[in-house]
Amino acid sequence: MAFERGAKARGRAARAMAGADAIEIKATIPDRQIEGALKRYGLTPNNDEERYIYFFDTPALDLLEAGIIMRARRIVGDVHDSTVKFRPVDPASVGDEWRKYRDFKIEDDASEKGLVKSASFSMPARKGLIKRVAAGTREIRDLLTRQQQAFIEQTADRRIDFDRLVVLGPLRAQRWQFEDPACPWRITAELWIREDGQRMMEASIRAPAVQAAVAAAGFMAFLAEVGAAHDNEQQTKTRWALSYYAGKYAATSRQGAPAKSKSKGAGAKKAAKRATRATTTSG
């Protein structure tokens, strides 16, 4: 989102934020600068929030391509949760009844590539449930509450075929929150580490919708001031992670190795053969 002064720019940020409650501004940090960023702010495994992130999609990533992200997080020493996210979304098409839930939100995700609205709905998950789903002894649908499943059906206007989904991951993540005197918003840094050792680091801030214009321009200016280079390879963390794990799943399926990532332990070959079918059925 470009920012400029004058009559043409008047109300631009407000129009872009229409229907959203908040804005999250994100920027990926080039791999060559990750170690420097960790050292600058004293971010270590001793002061992080360690988590493991599992994604649920078809082997062909049909949900991701349809703008639906389904994931679960095991947070060491804290509450585990599951999340359903739609991106992009038209806020006007999302029912007001979901706003009564504490962990439902509609916000604008802003980056150097632009701005997109999302709607996400998280709910706590019982300890041990995520591991059992990953092991194939519980179904993927068991991770979502009745309310989350209703949210999917209403927002997507169709029913998800959970039997076609597989577990992708887990991906290890470290998360920190800290402050910098030069930035008026609390900064979140999240480092994702794939199984192949590749890393992606994202720095972000959240601000109320009314602060969108100043927050977006201010945070990008702050990053430039502290020397954070523009990441020419920037992509969303989710696509970066899912592309890798889907590829690994496909390779495992071709080799005929047993897979634990299908609901109730169904074989990887069966899941892969069904990957070309439509991921949803009309609701």
Side-chain angles (χ1 to χ4, degrees):
M1 180 166 52
F3 292 90
E4 58 187 54
R5 294 172 63 181
K8 291 183 178 180
R10 184 176 183 180
R12 181 181 297 172
R15 290 192 296 273
M17 292 297 299
D21 304 313
I23 186 170
E24 182 177 19
I25 302 133
K26 308 173 182 179
T28 56
I29 306 301
D31 187 77
R32 67 183 184 277
Q33 291 193 318
I34 289 178
E35 292 303 328
L38 295 175
K39 184 177 180 179
R40 178 187 178 96
Y41 293 105
L43 309 180
T44 73
N46 296 324
N47 58 22
D48 74 337
E49 181 186 75
E50 185 179 7
R51 50 180 62 190
Y52 294 86
I53 304 173
Y54 301 73
F55 296 94
F56 311 99
D57 208 323
T58 69
L61 302 183
D62 294 302
L63 291 187
L64 181 65
E65 298 307 324
I68 304 171
I69 299 166
M70 196 179 298
R71 67 170 183 247
R73 296 179 294 195
R74 268 199 314 114
I75 304 174
V76 178
D78 205 340
V79 176
H80 303 174
D81 64 20
S82 63
T83 298
V84 177
K85 186 171 187 175
F86 286 82
R87 184 176 61 198
V89 70
D90 176 7
S93 69
V94 180
D96 290 336
E97 66 266 33
W98 309 114
R99 292 181 180 270
K100 67 183 179 183
Y101 294 99
R102 185 190 67 180
D103 292 321
F104 173 82
K105 59 189 177 185
I106 295 179
E107 62 183 15
D108 267 302
D109 296 334
S111 71
E112 291 170 300
K113 288 192 173 182
L115 187 150
V116 61
K117 289 185 175 66
S118 66
S120 63
F121 188 8
S122 298
M123 294 288 274
R126 296 192 305 277
K127 291 289 181 73
L129 177 58
I130 297 174
K131 284 186 175 181
R132 290 196 291 273
V133 169
T137 60
R138 292 289 297 271
E139 295 187 8
I140 290 173
R141 59 167 51 86
D142 293 336
L143 275 170
L144 301 182
T145 65
R146 172 176 52 83
Q147 294 90 341
Q148 285 173 306
Q149 293 189 40
F151 169 65
I152 293 173
E153 291 184 22
Q154 183 187 103
T155 306
D157 194 27
R158 61 189 64 200
R159 193 183 302 269
I160 298 295
D161 183 357
F162 284 95
D163 292 333
R164 296 204 51 246
L165 305 185
V166 297
V167 181
L168 299 172
L171 175 146
R172 184 164 65 90
Q174 294 172 278
R175 182 176 181 271
W176 301 268
Q177 287 191 314
F178 58 95
E179 296 178 350
D180 187 298
C183 182
W185 299 277
R186 191 170 179 81
I187 302 169
T188 296
E190 192 159 7
L191 180 64
W192 282 21
I193 307 167
R194 296 189 318 206
E195 199 171 282
D196 63 351
Q198 293 296 306
R199 305 178 302 173
M200 174 180 280
M201 187 174 187
E202 182 182 83
S204 65
I205 63 168
R206 274 193 170 89
V210 295
Q211 296 179 5
V214 67
F219 187 53
M220 292 305 172
F222 163 77
L223 291 175
E225 179 68 18
V226 298
H230 176 74
D231 185 4
N232 294 323
E233 303 299 322
Q234 178 168 291
Q235 56 182 315
T236 67
K237 299 195 308 297
T238 300
R239 184 170 292 279
W240 175 83
L242 279 173
S243 296
Y244 167 76
Y245 284 105
K248 180 183 175 185
Y249 183 90
T252 301
S253 299
R254 287 194 298 268
Q255 294 167 6
K260 295 181 180 180
S261 53
K262 188 87 167 79
S263 265
K264 289 193 171 181
K269 285 186 177 180
K270 182 178 178 181
K273 287 179 180 178
R274 300 175 66 185
T276 56
R277 293 174 53 188
T279 183
T280 55
T281 56
S282 298

